[in-house]
Amino acid sequence: TQLLEQSPQFLSIQEGENLTVYCNSSSVFSSLQWYRQEPGEGPVLLVTVVTGGEVKKLKRLTFQFGDARKDSSLHITAAQPGDTGLYLCAGARGSNYKLTFGKGTLLTVNP
Amino acid sequence: GAGVSQSPSNKVTEKGKDVELRCDPISGHTALYWYRQRLGQGLEFLIYFQGNSAPDKSGLPSDRFSAERTGESVSTLTIQRTQQEDSAVYLCASSFSQVGTEAFFGQGTRLTVV
């Protein structure tokens, strides 16, 4: 059983469209993070959310942490080809704040 | 260097041979993770080290896979009797163990079994 379920697994859209990807769990996390991975590179942190209900914006990206701290969403407005990549969520739990990664959403933005 | 370093960056091996992959984490990071990533796919958890605690090996796919870490330093992932299905990028990440901590990833080792 995957602790963090990401959906959709694959998403292909046209430049200019909006999209939302989801990260869901039945477990509570002390914090949740979103990473983006570009081809040939390791994942890189985009944002960390800590408080239930928290919303953070990073240019055209909006991240939300669920009130119960079990889920999160990433919304991209007016997607661009440069947004193409694998988006991963990761939740921290336990006294050691072990990070658990979802399998990711592979986003392709076509020009 | 300041980041997570993995070596080799590429490895081509013959089926049945053993391979050893190395990860140098960021100094001071107590947590270290190994992941496998097949082409076009997400991350598959392999193993987690936290300080001197017993590692979480729940993600290792078979007994051909093993990993070691000495204290809070270098880790090696060993694959014995490699199979073609082992071909993938193997990613290592390290982090502090505190709220909101960020995982830093290496560039990965691309393993090709022929």
Side-chain angles (χ1 to χ4, degrees):
Chain A
T1 301
Q2 186 71 15
L3 189 61
L4 276 171
E5 298 284 349
Q6 289 193 242
S7 60
Q9 185 178 358
F10 301 97
L11 184 58
S12 180
I13 62 171
Q14 294 301 120
E15 183 176 1
E17 293 183 359
N18 301 331
L19 66 113
T20 303
V21 297
Y22 300 92
C23 176
N24 295 302
S25 176
S26 58
S27 299
V28 176
F29 294 99
S30 56
S31 64
L32 197 139
Q33 300 173 330
W34 286 91
Y35 292 74
R36 182 170 72 199
Q37 183 183 26
E38 298 185 12
E41 304 288 330
V44 175
L45 180 70
L46 294 174
V47 77
T48 300
V49 285
V50 179
T51 305
E54 184 176 1
V55 176
K56 282 192 173 179
K57 293 192 175 184
L58 185 64
K59 296 183 181 178
R60 293 176 294 100
L61 278 60
T62 302
F63 306 85
Q64 185 165 5
F65 200 12
D67 291 341
R69 306 206 322 276
K70 293 182 179 180
D71 52 77
S72 181
S73 63
L74 159 59
H75 182 79
I76 301 179
T77 303
Q80 299 177 359
D83 296 327
T84 293
L86 180 69
Y87 289 82
L88 296 154
C89 67
R93 297 173 67 225
S95 59
N96 290 323
Y97 303 100
K98 176 187 175 185
L99 287 170
T100 298
F101 280 81
K103 289 190 177 289
T105 293
L106 187 59
L107 172 66
T108 302
V109 182
N110 301 298
Chain B
V4 176
S5 177
Q6 291 188 245
S7 61
S9 54
N10 283 285
K11 177 72 176 179
V12 180
T13 189
E14 292 181 351
K15 179 180 172 181
K17 294 285 180 67
D18 297 352
V19 295
E20 189 173 277
L21 313 181
R22 177 186 171 105
C23 173
D24 281 272
I26 292 173
S27 178
H29 280 187
T30 55
L32 187 147
Y33 307 77
W34 281 99
Y35 285 88
R36 180 168 69 180
Q37 187 173 36
R38 293 199 167 96
L39 186 64
Q41 302 295 317
L43 300 186
E44 179 186 0
F45 169 73
L46 295 177
I47 190 168
Y48 163 71
F49 294 93
Q50 170 55 47
N52 293 316
S53 301
D56 176 356
K57 302 180 180 181
S58 60
L60 295 178
S62 77
D63 59 7
R64 297 187 295 106
F65 287 72
S66 62
E68 293 184 349
R69 186 184 187 193
T70 305
E72 295 181 356
S73 61
V74 171
S75 176
T76 55
L77 176 68
T78 302
I79 309 173
Q80 296 178 312
R81 305 180 302 282
T82 53
Q83 304 294 315
Q84 288 185 331
E85 70 214 40
D86 299 333
S87 296
V89 174
Y90 290 82
L91 287 164
C92 174
S94 70
S95 71
F96 290 112
S97 297
Q98 60 193 43
V99 64
T101 187
E102 173 184 356
F104 291 84
F105 283 82
Q107 296 281 75
T109 293
R110 181 175 298 278
L111 175 66
T112 303
V113 182
V114 297

